[in-house]
Amino acid sequence: ARSRGAAGAALLPSMLMFGVILASSGLLLMIERGILAQVGPPPLHPPGGLSRRDGRDSTAELELEVLRDTRNRTIRALCGQRSMPRSVWELPPGQRRTVLRHLLVSDKYRFLYCYVPKVACSNWKRILKVLDGALESVDAKGKMDHKSDLVFLGDMKPEEISYRLKHYYKFIFVRNPMERLLSAYRNKFGEIKEYQQKYGVEIVRRYRKNGGNSAGDDVSFSEFLQYLLDEDVERMNEHWMPIYNLCQPCAVRYDFIGSYERLHADANHVLEHIQSPSFVRFPERQAWYKPVTAETLHYYLCNTPRRLLKELLPKYILDFSLFAYPLPNITSEFCRQ
């Protein structure tokens, strides 16, 4: 509780500043509508990518333009503040290690990709391995090795790091923060024994009376969110650490921000830009994968104490705001639907 209070105190000035930035740029209303409206706003991310008839669908094209303009304006407004880092070398050592550990390098195709767990990063790692010749096909069977045959920027010398940050194409893929947290929760505590034993047992012991006999496989979503609320952001596991902290979009100027919501269209844009071979394509979703649907997210959010969600939002507010995602709608009217 003490660490949460300290973190909250440290966060408050920057959040007040950010609120002023959003209000002055006219974006605050757009964000508020996601939590205040009885029915959520039309999606800024067309789920199936841009539809084509005699060219691109004008409505989808306009929505995409608004989305990218909103992101660019908000990132410029926040990152233009004096207190914000201008490069990775201005970050505290711990934050610098985190971002450099998440920037994957392709020297052959001259790009840097900041991988975000639960945002299709396994498939992007497959692509990097295929481009490097370490993997024959993106459809190769077998468990994904997240370390071998990959080059991490953090393993390079300072001058090598600076050169690549300055000259290489840099991209990142983002996702609705609450959807990403729910995906991590369902995957790690519903399917992965290692996470159940390492985190689940501790979460139940900490937040449930007489929870000492749990194997960590019955963590509730509310218990998971309470754990995140009490956890220091900088010490979080990468699967639920905010995207801002993982990839530091102020210290690293990304050339392209792709969306999970239009994954294939944005992935194709990146592959075309880096001039990858024509046989390299973004993999299709695995048959076993259980996607987080709007209905699933609605169910979990509406069955979670509102107090908990409201207290947790400040930890992820930069992910919502910078990447133009509406805050979760948890009004009584919406939850009755």
Side-chain angles (χ1 to χ4, degrees):
R2 183 173 57 85
S3 63
R4 191 174 85 195
L11 184 66
L12 187 58
S14 62
M15 290 315 306
L16 288 173
M17 175 195 73
F18 192 59
V20 171
I21 294 170
L22 287 177
S24 64
S25 62
L27 298 176
L28 189 59
L29 182 59
M30 293 175 63
I31 293 171
E32 283 180 343
R33 279 176 181 164
I35 197 170
L36 297 179
Q38 293 185 18
V39 179
L44 286 172
H45 317 275
L50 293 171
S51 60
R52 297 174 185 270
R53 294 190 189 96
D54 299 323
R56 294 186 169 183
D57 182 273
S58 58
T59 302
E61 188 79 340
L62 179 61
E63 287 176 344
L64 181 59
E65 190 177 328
V66 169
L67 167 67
R68 289 182 175 159
D69 184 60
T70 300
R71 285 179 176 167
N72 291 337
R73 285 172 179 270
T74 313
I75 289 172
R76 281 200 303 269
L78 176 73
C79 299
Q81 299 299 302
R82 288 185 180 180
S83 59
M84 303 306 290
R86 297 293 195 277
S87 76
V88 296
W89 309 115
E90 294 181 18
L91 293 169
Q95 293 181 18
R96 183 166 61 245
R97 277 194 301 273
T98 295
V99 65
L100 293 180
R101 197 169 62 231
H102 284 82
L103 281 164
L104 293 170
V105 183
S106 172
D107 282 327
K108 185 176 180 181
Y109 291 90
R110 295 176 66 83
F111 71 78
L112 301 177
Y113 158 59
C114 187
Y115 80 87
V116 179
K118 308 312 298 177
V119 191
C121 74
S122 295
N123 281 338
W124 273 114
K125 288 177 180 178
R126 286 179 185 273
I127 287 176
L128 263 81
K129 292 186 180 191
V130 170
L131 291 175
D132 198 43
L135 196 64
E136 187 176 328
S137 166
V138 294
D139 298 318
K141 304 297 181 185
K143 189 177 180 181
M144 178 67 190
D145 188 324
H146 290 267
K147 298 296 181 185
S148 67
D149 300 316
L150 293 168
V151 180
F152 296 84
L153 192 61
D155 292 334
M156 296 183 169
K157 298 176 181 177
E159 60 270 21
E160 296 173 329
I161 292 171
S162 293
Y163 176 84
R164 285 160 178 79
L165 284 169
K166 183 177 181 181
H167 296 286
Y168 282 18
Y169 180 71
K170 299 173 287 294
F171 69 93
I172 177 182
F173 273 71
V174 300
R175 185 179 188 179
N176 180 299
M178 291 309 302
E179 187 179 303
R180 177 173 170 250
L181 287 182
L182 180 55
S183 178
Y185 163 75
R186 294 172 78 199
N187 173 237
K188 300 309 174 187
F189 298 106
E191 303 171 9
I192 312 296
K193 198 161 190 176
E194 176 189 348
Y195 277 77
Q196 294 168 357
Q197 294 174 342
K198 183 175 181 180
Y199 295 97
V201 171
E202 171 62 20
I203 290 172
V204 172
R205 184 196 66 77
R206 194 186 298 183
Y207 300 111
R208 190 186 306 171
K209 290 182 179 180
N210 305 318
N213 295 325
S214 171
D217 58 352
D218 60 344
V219 176
S220 72
F221 189 55
S222 293
E223 288 170 339
F224 173 57
L225 296 188
Q226 184 65 56
Y227 167 73
L228 298 181
L229 184 59
D230 291 338
E231 187 77 351
D232 179 0
V233 168
E234 297 298 333
R235 297 168 62 87
M236 282 184 176
N237 179 280
E238 63 177 9
H239 289 84
W240 42 80
M241 182 182 282
I243 297 173
Y244 179 88
N245 298 81
L246 288 173
C247 295
Q248 295 290 343
C250 288
V252 179
R253 297 199 172 191
Y254 293 97
D255 299 290
F256 183 76
I257 299 175
S259 296
Y260 185 85
E261 293 76 14
R262 35 176 289 115
L263 183 57
H264 282 271
D266 284 353
N268 287 337
H269 172 87
V270 171
L271 292 173
E272 185 178 324
H273 184 90
I274 65 173
Q275 298 183 322
S276 71
S278 58
F279 70 87
V280 177
R281 55 174 178 73
F282 198 80
E284 294 299 324
R285 179 182 287 163
Q286 299 290 331
W288 50 262
Y289 181 75
K290 298 176 184 176
V292 174
T293 65
E295 292 74 20
T296 308
L297 184 62
H298 178 277
Y299 172 82
Y300 276 93
L301 291 181
C302 289
N303 284 279
T304 299
R306 288 189 203 176
R307 172 201 60 81
L308 191 55
L309 286 171
K310 289 178 179 177
E311 288 183 13
L312 184 65
L313 283 179
K315 283 198 168 180
Y316 294 89
I317 196 67
L318 292 180
D319 286 4
F320 281 106
S321 304
L322 289 179
F323 307 128
Y325 286 106
L327 294 178
N329 190 339
I330 51 172
T331 60
S332 300
E333 293 81 2
F334 181 72
C335 286
R336 275 199 295 267
Q337 294 176 12

